[in-house]
Amino acid sequence: MASAQVVPLPRPEAKAVERPVLVVDLGGQYSQLIARRVRECRVFSELVPHSISPAAIRARDPWAIVLSGGPASVYAEGAPRVDPEILRLGIPTLGICYGMQLLAQELGGRVDRTGVSEFGKTELHAEAGVASALLDGLPPDQTCWMSHRDSVVSPPAGARVVASSPSTPIAAFEDERLRVYGVQFHPEVAHTPHGTDLLKNFLYGVAGAPPGWTAAAVIEEGVERIRAQVGSRRILCALSGGVDSAVAALLVHKAVGDQLTCVFVDHGLLREDEAAQVIATFRGHFQVPLIHVEAQERFLARLAGVEDPEEKRRRIGEEFIRVFEEEARRLGQVDLLVQGTLYSDVIESGGSDGIAAKIKSHHNVGGLPADMRMGLVEPLRLLFKDEVRRVGEELGLPERMVWRQPFPGPGLAIRIIGEVTRERLELLRAADAVLQEEIRRAGLYRDLWQSFAVLPAIRSVGVQGDERTYAYPIVIRAVTSEDAMTADWARLPYDLLETISSRLVNELPGVNRVALDISSKPPSTIEWE
Ligand code: XMP
């Protein structure tokens, strides 16, 4: 048959998931956010370095390319650039801020330092009577977020100016012939209220990408990928009680069933009811083969007399590995280990497999054995945290587990200042339970990055009834944050604080005082140890 007669079959639906939108990182602070926003539009995206070659781009067969913002001026020495051939591949390309300026410069337009900078909220005005694919269906006047010194003073030859701001006559241009589009403002930030609509116009309207990246599609694709990797081998997963390991385990179980064994090392340092919930969910509800190792006494014994926080961490980590290895040995030959590496870990480590694994182990339950010769399966490697939660919901994980706030591997041990004893542990766990209950009741749990009780193991004088008391204070710590790198103390309502305070001193013998931590990070840290 002559090749000319071969009609390509339409891509099967699953392929829509694998074809990405490539977000080229030109060094701007919002590159990762752009990738997340594209995914919020249900289109799979990947962040790639600006050094990527045209061949590598072609090989990925992307729906579209987005050039991110960048801190530099396009004229600065060493300013990040892309291979200009990439812009001539005929792939729909959207340049944002610096990315737009780069497009203009590479395609025959001009960028200048006009002496007018714009930072912050700016009014955007669509050019009357000029058709625009990006602004289609959006109000002619809208607020957008700008952050630039240089400006495009002439668009690429043949491109049409479609929007301006009071100080930037060329705030957006389009050229459907070359399939290049540029916006000076940042559609990815929340301060551009119609930013997501603009991205949708670009993704769906210009690039024709279908909104196929749904939790169901992620699961389907993940299951296929895991099956291919695992084959008929046995695989082990350490459950921590957190959302990442829970979702990773459920995905693997869905893919390979009882080839998976989960190990839950119960170190006794979790919050109230968490251990029971892990058992009920995995063994009871999902019927995942689960080994529940009751190691509470071992951990308490190892922590006896230890006051130094780093020493606590070290001992907990070491003991965790010891217990985990004992269980793994009991299971006989197991070749593979599940690891909950997220896409943000992969990005932050420059995409290298080895480094990603190392970074994640710090955040794991004390870290997993380095010398266990097992292959790693990383089912969450392509997912951002909010996607992990959506997948968890889709898989039927209970709401409490899906939305659990981050919790440190060493658990309550680093929230007891000084020695961890059974009495102190029980007191802190009970105090934390009261705090969590009231924060949930107030509807604030999901708004807070973390909220917890701290037990500084000192005592102070109080009076209850006619009696003088000498008991522990409890400190309330609640913070808002995006990523734990910085955090602000949460302004909890006074009424809520009052309820928590009176419940703590009334319900917990051994507590006679409640304090509120009003420090931000930096200079404080989120945890007390
Ligand atoms: P800091 O206290 O450094 O905490 O502001 C930042 C984030 O990391 C968590 N954290 C830990 N997580 N093992 C962990 O798995 C640890 O030793 C550890 N120390 C702090 C902390 O809860 C916060 O989310």
Side-chain angles (χ1 to χ4, degrees):
M1 200 194 322
S3 61
Q5 289 177 304
V6 178
V7 179
L9 290 171
R11 286 170 166 275
E13 207 47 47
K15 286 284 177 202
V17 167
E18 287 164 39
R19 260 187 96 180
V21 163
L22 296 180
V23 178
V24 178
D25 185 0
L26 289 156
Q29 56 177 326
Y30 299 127
S31 310
Q32 211 183 111
L33 187 60
I34 297 171
R36 275 175 49 199
R37 290 283 183 254
V38 171
R39 294 206 192 173
E40 280 168 20
C41 299
R42 304 281 182 264
V43 178
F44 178 55
S45 66
E46 280 183 75
L47 198 64
V48 294
H50 62 84
S51 56
I52 191 166
S53 70
I57 292 221
R58 217 180 293 114
R60 301 289 291 114
D61 189 21
W63 289 106
I65 295 172
V66 181
L67 303 178
S68 81
S73 159
V74 286
Y75 294 111
E77 203 179 316
R81 325 198 76 83
V82 291
D83 185 325
E85 199 193 317
I86 289 171
L87 309 179
R88 301 182 203 283
L89 292 174
I91 300 167
T93 300
L94 172 66
I96 295 176
C97 195
Y98 177 88
M100 174 217 207
Q101 297 171 5
L102 203 58
L103 279 178
Q105 202 192 32
E106 294 290 355
L107 299 172
R110 237 186 71 206
V111 180
D112 271 351
R113 179 143 303 180
T114 56
V116 183
S117 313
E118 281 175 312
F119 293 98
K121 282 187 189 166
T122 308
E123 284 309 305
L124 185 77
H125 176 68
E127 294 303 318
V130 179
S132 164
L134 293 182
L135 301 175
D136 187 32
L138 308 190
D141 292 297
Q142 55 169 303
T143 306
C144 69
W145 184 260
M146 292 273 198
S147 174
H148 67 112
R149 284 210 166 76
D150 294 358
S151 297
V152 174
V153 293
S154 94
R160 212 170 49 243
V161 176
V162 297
S164 62
S165 77
S167 350
T168 308
I170 304 177
F173 63 69
E174 303 186 0
D175 184 342
E176 60 265 0
R177 198 179 36 94
L178 282 180
R179 306 186 87 184
V180 297
Y181 299 76
V183 291
Q184 183 57 69
F185 53 94
H186 289 272
E188 71 277 21
V189 305
H191 307 292
T192 302
H194 290 287
T196 303
D197 298 325
L198 183 145
L199 285 177
K200 283 181 178 167
N201 277 345
F202 174 70
L203 295 167
Y204 308 155
V206 172
W213 181 250
T214 59
V218 172
I219 293 169
E220 192 183 324
E221 197 236 15
V223 161
E224 254 176 57
R225 201 187 288 259
I226 295 164
R227 277 194 191 133
Q229 194 186 351
V230 175
S232 59
R233 291 179 288 179
R234 293 175 73 197
I235 177 164
L236 202 57
C237 179
L239 288 179
S240 67
V243 62
D244 298 350
S245 64
V247 172
L250 285 185
L251 263 179
V252 173
H253 189 252
K254 196 173 173 67
V256 298
D258 292 356
Q259 283 166 248
L260 170 74
T261 304
C262 288
V263 176
F264 172 48
V265 177
D266 194 346
H267 54 21
L269 307 168
L270 292 180
R271 289 167 288 198
E272 192 157 275
D273 288 336
E274 279 183 350
Q277 198 170 31
V278 170
I279 311 295
T281 304
F282 281 83
R283 194 180 277 163
H285 182 68
F286 289 107
Q287 309 207 324
V288 177
L290 172 69
I291 299 173
H292 177 202
V293 192
E294 302 236 32
Q296 297 93 324
E297 295 303 322
R298 283 178 67 161
F299 279 86
L300 256 186
R302 290 278 284 148
L303 289 170
V306 181
E307 294 192 355
D308 177 63
E310 288 314 305
E311 181 62 15
K312 285 182 190 173
R313 279 190 172 82
R314 201 185 61 72
R315 290 195 184 205
I316 293 167
E318 207 178 78
E319 193 61 20
F320 181 87
I321 290 175
R322 210 171 283 166
V323 176
F324 189 80
E325 275 177 337
E326 282 170 22
E327 291 308 318
R329 220 169 293 129
R330 242 193 282 277
L331 285 171
Q333 183 59 36
V334 180
D335 307 301
L336 297 169
L337 187 67
V338 179
Q339 185 134 19
T341 318
L342 301 187
Y343 191 53
S344 39
D345 302 318
V346 176
I347 293 172
E348 275 149 33
S349 62
S352 142
D353 297 21
I355 305 172
K358 251 182 255 151
I359 285 190
K360 190 61 195 177
S361 72
H362 170 74
H363 294 288
N364 256 322
V365 204
L368 288 170
D371 59 352
M372 283 179 91
R373 281 196 195 79
M374 293 168 119
L376 285 186
V377 174
E378 299 177 308
L380 312 180
R381 220 183 135 73
L382 291 178
L383 306 184
F384 287 113
K385 187 84 177 188
D386 46 334
E387 294 173 313
V388 172
R389 292 207 159 106
R390 278 214 304 277
V391 167
E393 276 174 337
E394 180 80 15
L395 288 168
L397 201 63
E399 188 267 344
R400 284 253 165 142
M401 289 185 101
V402 168
W403 289 100
R404 191 156 282 171
Q405 293 169 351
F407 186 67
L412 299 181
I414 56 163
R415 293 177 180 172
I416 294 170
I417 314 309
E419 189 188 0
V420 179
T421 63
R422 193 186 311 272
E423 175 231 0
R424 289 175 178 178
L425 201 50
E426 278 167 13
L427 187 61
L428 177 60
R429 198 174 352 250
D432 192 69
V434 168
L435 180 80
Q436 302 303 346
E437 191 179 305
E438 291 303 332
I439 282 182
R440 280 181 202 276
R441 207 197 302 270
L444 293 175
Y445 185 81
R446 286 196 199 178
D447 298 335
L448 299 172
W449 173 264
Q450 279 173 289
S451 51
F452 54 88
V454 178
L455 180 66
I458 52 163
R459 284 170 218 254
S460 74
V461 176
V463 56
Q464 260 163 326
D466 288 334
E467 276 186 41
R468 176 185 177 280
T469 59
Y470 191 55
Y472 288 123
I474 290 287
V475 176
I476 298 172
R477 180 70 165 144
V479 296
T480 53
S481 173
E482 285 288 320
D483 54 8
M485 302 298 281
T486 61
D488 195 9
W489 60 278
R491 274 53 168 179
L492 298 178
Y494 276 6
D495 288 352
L496 171 63
L497 291 169
E498 183 188 351
T499 309
I500 295 170
S501 167
S502 60
R503 280 197 61 191
L504 288 174
V505 286
N506 288 330
E507 294 176 26
L508 301 177
V511 172
N512 67 353
R513 193 177 292 277
V514 176
L516 176 67
D517 183 344
I518 52 166
S519 8
S520 294
K521 172 183 180 175
S524 301
T525 50
I526 296 175
E527 302 291 345
W528 268 45
E529 286 204 327

